[in-house]
Structure formats: C-alpha cells, structure tokens
Amino acid sequence: TKVGIDAGGTLTKIAYQTNGSIRYQSVPSADMEYTVEWLSSQLDNPDVCVTGGKSELLTKKWQAPAKTMVEFDATTKGIEFLANHQDQALVEPFLFVNVGTGTSIHVVNDGKQERTGGSGIGGGTLMGLAQLTTGIHDYKQIVQLAGNGNRGNVDLKVKDIFEGTLSPISGDLTASNFGKTEKMAAYAPENADILASITGMIGEVIVSITIPTAMQYNVDQMVYIGSSFRMNRLLRETVSKYTIMLEKTPIFLEKGEYSGAVGAMLSI
Ligand code: ATP
Ligand code: MG
C-alpha cells in the first residue's frame, strides 16, 4: 500500500491507496507511537513517504525504510491532484495558503511553488486563545461554540464608530477586533461570542496578509487549505467573504488539509 504522511505541528495526516480509492486518516502528532502502531497494524506492506515538520520524529520511530520529501513540494503536488479530481480548474499563477498550526503562503507557477510569506496567526492561535480566554481545549467544542457566537458583542465595526455619519469605507468592516470595550464592560460576552471573535480575527488577518502577495504576483485564485478549516464554517465564511470583497477568488478543496499527505503518497 502506498502511504503518504504529513506529520505537522498538531496533526499527522495520512493518505493511502486501497483498491484504487484514496483513504484519509488524521491523528494527533503528539502521539507518534500510535501513528506508527496504526500504520503497521492497519496497512499491509506499507510503502511510506513522509513529509512535514515532524517527519524526522516519525521516521525515527518507524523502523522500516521510508522516503521523505520537502513539505511545500508535496503540498503543491497534492493540491494539483485534488483540484484535478474535483474538477476545480486552477489557473497559474495561483496562491495557496496553508492554515495549519501556523500559516504559510505560497505562489505556484509552472507547477513550482515559492514561499512568499507566512504568519504565526493560524489554527494554533485559535486553540491557544480559546484556552486562555474560555478554558476550553476541545477543538470540536471550540468551533461549535464559535459558530453560534455573536461578534457584535466583542468586535467594533466601522459603523459603530461612524454613528450616523457616512463612513469612507464599508461600515461592515471590522474597525477594531475585540475593540468593543464599553459594551463588554457593561455586558460580559459569552464564551461563544469570544470564540467567534477570535475566529473572525484569525480569518481577517490571514486574508489581509495574503492580499498584497496576490496583487504582487497578479494572482486571482487563492487556495485555502489546512485542518484549521475543518468543521469550521465560520472561519471558512470569514475568509471567503473577505477574499471576495477584495476581488479575489477563494477556493476550498475537499480534503485540502490532506494535500501534503496526498503529494507524498503520489511521489512513491
Ligand atoms: P503545521 O503545518 O503548522 O506544522 P499542522 O500540519 O499540524 O501544522 P493542520 O493539521 O493543517 O496543521 O492544522 C492544525 C489546526 O487544525 C489546529 O491548530 C486546529 O485549529 C485545527 N484542528 C482541526 N481538527 C483538529 C483536531 N481534531 N484536534 C486539534 N486541532 C484540530
Ligand atoms: Mg501542516
């Protein structure tokens, strides 16, 4: 069995081929022992290619031979494969933005990627700030609550400042993330509201730092990948709306968080 593994900072993504179809599995990177056990017990005769920041850690535990691959190239290959199979036409140059534990931005031209930037604001930021502000650690619980929160109890919009006066920019834009201090002093926001605002801030930062790169490289399509979008409709919507508002085309691939693993699997 051909197996591609992307061992990331938070999650280890596994893609493998059985009977012509691809299967996907993800496990916490903190438990490499489990990953190695899973590989040897679930898959017969695995032929492994590993990528991602924790590749070394994994290959050390994996006693059999394994190929390794540069993560960014694996991801590019995986994105092209997934887009192709989902009838999603990608026009070069395009950008991909990998929102993992942290965020990494890349431009792809002639099938080759170049990393143009990144940010420490990513999925790990959601987990960390959620933990600090609400004490909640569970990812599913965080995204579910965030989905029901009201950012209006926490974030200051442009129209909140320009009361009655015509503002020079859209009143719906965020003027200040977490800036609604007066309201918050009078009425403490719910955990759901706080989590919605954290999610919104992360989405807005990601788009804001990506747009100048899109302009510089004359790119229209922005492919957003990474497990941070998993089950997280609010993050997806925030990123999507803001990208469209800035006149670029957002693309979310199904199983996009497995791009690196798929690319590694295809390189065997
Ligand atoms: P990096 O690429 O930065 O090394 P990574 O590859 O591990 O990290 P991803 O797997 O793409 O990163 O995304 C990790 C993020 O996905 C987490 O920070 C969290 O926001 C989100 N996430 C989705 N599902 C889970 C889960 N089951 N447990 C924890 N985090 C999850
Ligand atoms: Mg990753």
Side-chain angles (χ1 to χ4, degrees):
T1 319
K2 286 183 182 185
V3 189
I5 304 173
D6 172 9
T10 306
L11 298 173
T12 294
K13 280 77 63 186
I14 305 169
Y16 59 100
Q17 266 167 327
T18 41
N19 313 321
S21 70
I22 303 173
R23 286 170 178 271
Y24 303 93
Q25 173 78 31
S26 82
V27 291
S29 294
D31 200 353
M32 283 293 178
E33 308 278 346
Y34 175 82
T35 309
V36 169
E37 229 167 77
W38 186 90
L39 283 173
S40 36
S41 66
Q42 297 288 311
L43 307 172
D44 48 84
N45 206 9
D47 204 351
V48 175
C49 179
V50 191
T51 190
K54 293 202 184 288
S55 316
E56 278 263 324
L57 213 71
L58 181 63
T59 46
K60 265 190 198 145
K61 291 213 160 45
W62 179 245
Q63 301 293 352
K67 229 181 118 175
T68 55
M69 182 175 184
V70 177
E71 174 180 348
F72 302 156
D73 296 332
T75 307
T76 308
K77 205 166 180 167
I79 286 172
E80 279 164 350
F81 178 89
L82 291 172
N84 209 355
H85 282 253
Q86 290 166 28
D87 289 322
Q88 172 64 65
L90 293 179
V91 181
E92 292 179 344
F94 63 86
L95 290 189
F96 73 81
V97 185
N98 189 354
V99 189
T101 312
T103 298
S104 193
I105 306 167
H106 307 253
V107 62
V108 179
N109 213 352
D110 292 328
K112 288 191 175 62
Q113 67 76 31
E114 183 195 334
R115 187 175 188 276
T116 59
S119 172
I121 303 288
T125 312
L126 172 63
M127 301 304 288
L129 286 180
Q131 190 176 317
L132 286 171
T133 54
T134 68
I136 303 170
H137 298 249
D138 183 63
Y139 178 75
K140 205 170 160 190
Q141 205 184 340
I142 291 167
V143 293
Q144 272 173 359
L145 270 174
N148 294 319
N150 179 6
R151 292 184 64 184
N153 292 333
V154 179
D155 293 327
L156 199 67
K157 283 191 172 191
V158 169
K159 65 182 170 206
D160 296 323
I161 297 180
F162 284 81
E163 264 179 294
T165 337
L166 197 65
S167 86
I169 53 171
S170 165
D172 259 333
L173 284 170
T174 307
S176 179
N177 296 86
F178 294 91
K180 223 174 208 174
T181 46
E182 274 175 44
K183 181 167 183 184
M184 287 194 283
Y187 165 82
E190 306 279 340
N191 280 347
D193 303 336
I194 297 170
L195 295 173
S197 292
I198 294 170
T199 306
M201 179 181 69
I202 293 168
E204 288 165 4
V205 167
I206 288 166
V207 177
S208 296
I209 62 164
T210 307
I211 286 292
T213 313
M215 310 249 248
Q216 184 189 341
Y217 288 89
N218 215 352
V219 157
D220 173 51
Q221 295 173 320
M222 324 254 276
V223 182
Y224 293 104
I225 59 165
S227 311
S228 304
F229 294 107
R230 197 185 283 179
M231 299 185 282
N232 198 341
R233 190 182 40 83
L234 181 61
L235 184 64
R236 218 182 274 239
E237 274 178 12
T238 307
V239 164
S240 185
K241 274 190 199 155
Y242 200 23
T243 304
I244 291 168
M245 201 186 80
L246 295 169
E247 299 179 327
K248 300 292 173 195
T249 306
I251 293 170
F252 294 90
L253 297 170
E254 225 172 285
K255 301 285 179 198
E257 70 268 37
Y258 287 95
S259 298
V262 169
M265 179 190 75
L266 295 172
S267 314
I268 295 168

